[in-house]
Amino acid sequence: MLSMDLRFSVPWTTISSSYTAVVLLQIVIKNILMRAAGGDRVYCPYCRHQDSRVIDSRTAEDGAAIRRRRSCPECGRRFTTQETVILMVGKRSGATEPFNRDKIVSGVRRACQGRPVTEDQLAILAQRVEDAIRSRGLGEVPSHEVGLAILGPLRALDEVAYLRFASVYRGFESLDDFEAEIAALRATRDEKWRSALAELDREHAAASRAGDTGESGGQGKAAAWQAAGRNGT
C-alpha cells in the first residue's frame, strides 16, 4: 500500500507499485508525457517538478514499447515511464479510439460464459489478436477487422463460444445461418482429422520399414554366426 498522497492534476496510471528498489520506492507510470515548448517533459510524480532526466532506456513488449528509468533533479527520486505506439481503431460512425485489449477480453468473455475457458486463455487470445493487427504495420484499422481477427483464435479456443460470437458479429438471422456455420466447422474438423490420420499412417509405415530393415539385418547376423560356429567345429 502507498502511504503518500499521489493525487495530481494530471491523469496517470499506475501499473505496478508492489516492489521496492534498493533505496527508493519505485512506481511504474504509464503515459504521463507532457508536451512543452522544449520538447516532451515528464513531471515527477512525487514532487511535481516539471522535468526529469532519463538514466536508462529499454525496449519492452517485443519492441512495441520503450521503458525509461528517470530521475528527478529536484527530489532525487526515480520512476519509470512507458512509451507505447498507439493503435487506433476506426468505428463505423467515423470516430476513432485507441485499441483496447480489455474490450477484446470483455466481448469474448460474454461469448464464453458457461464454457471451460479461463481468464489466462482470454488474455492470450487478446494478445494474439493485437499481435495480428499490429503485424500489418498500420496506425489505424477499421473496427470490423478487429472482429475478424478475433474469429480465428476464438474458433480454435472453443467452438461453442465461437458460434455465439459469430452469430452476433456476422448478424445471423435464421437457423440456416447457424447450420451453415456448423457445417463449415465440421468440414474443418474433418479435414484436420484426415490430416492427422494421414500423418499417423506415414509414421507407422516408416516405423514398419525401419523394423523390417532391423529384422533382416538381425537374421543376417545370426546366419553368419551359425556359419562361423560350424566352421569352428
Side-chain angles (χ1 to χ4, degrees):
M1 298 295 293
L2 296 178
S3 59
M4 62 188 72
D5 188 0
L6 295 178
R7 294 172 296 178
F8 304 125
S9 59
V10 295
W12 57 274
T13 303
T14 302
I15 61 174
S16 176
S17 58
S18 60
Y19 63 93
T20 304
V22 178
V23 179
L24 299 174
L25 176 67
Q26 309 299 318
I27 297 180
V28 180
I29 300 176
K30 184 177 182 180
N31 295 334
I32 62 169
L33 290 177
M34 295 185 177
R35 182 72 60 180
D40 288 334
R41 293 186 180 182
V42 177
Y43 284 39
C44 174
Y46 299 100
C47 69
R48 300 298 295 124
H49 186 66
Q50 297 184 7
D51 200 0
S52 60
R53 182 171 60 89
V54 177
I55 58 178
D56 184 38
S57 296
R58 297 184 181 182
T59 58
E61 300 180 9
D62 295 329
I66 297 178
R67 290 178 182 171
R68 302 189 191 279
R69 293 289 294 147
R70 296 177 178 268
S71 175
C72 176
E74 184 69 19
C75 67
R77 293 188 175 185
R78 296 181 178 183
F79 56 97
T80 300
T81 59
Q82 179 166 303
E83 302 172 19
T84 305
V85 176
I86 299 177
L87 175 64
M88 301 301 294
V89 177
K91 296 184 175 182
R92 294 180 181 177
S93 63
T96 59
E97 65 178 16
F99 176 87
N100 190 338
R101 197 185 303 174
D102 292 338
K103 285 190 174 183
I104 303 295
V105 173
S106 177
V108 175
R109 183 186 290 117
R110 289 194 294 270
C112 294
Q113 187 173 1
R115 302 298 301 164
V117 177
T118 66
E119 288 295 319
D120 287 342
Q121 289 175 314
L122 292 178
I124 293 173
L125 182 145
Q127 179 65 60
R128 290 179 61 188
V129 171
E130 182 175 358
D131 291 344
I133 294 174
R134 287 188 179 275
S135 65
R136 302 176 186 178
L138 302 176
E140 180 178 330
V141 295
S143 59
H144 74 272
E145 291 192 11
V146 177
L148 290 175
I150 294 174
L151 292 176
L154 183 56
R155 180 171 53 193
L157 178 62
D158 189 277
E159 292 180 344
V160 173
Y162 165 78
L163 279 175
R164 292 172 178 172
F165 187 89
S167 66
V168 176
Y169 179 73
R170 292 179 174 173
F172 288 3
E173 297 180 353
S174 66
L175 184 60
D176 293 338
D177 294 330
F178 282 94
E179 290 178 345
E181 193 64 39
I182 291 173
L185 284 173
R186 286 175 174 169
T188 302
R189 182 188 298 175
D190 291 344
E191 180 61 29
K192 289 181 179 179
W193 273 108
R194 284 194 292 268
S195 298
L197 290 174
E199 181 64 24
L200 287 175
D201 288 341
R202 287 193 292 270
E203 292 178 357
H204 179 71
S208 298
R209 288 194 297 270
D212 293 342
T213 302
E215 183 177 353
S216 299
Q219 292 175 351
K221 290 180 180 179
W225 291 337
Q226 292 175 359
R230 288 194 298 270
N231 293 333
T233 57

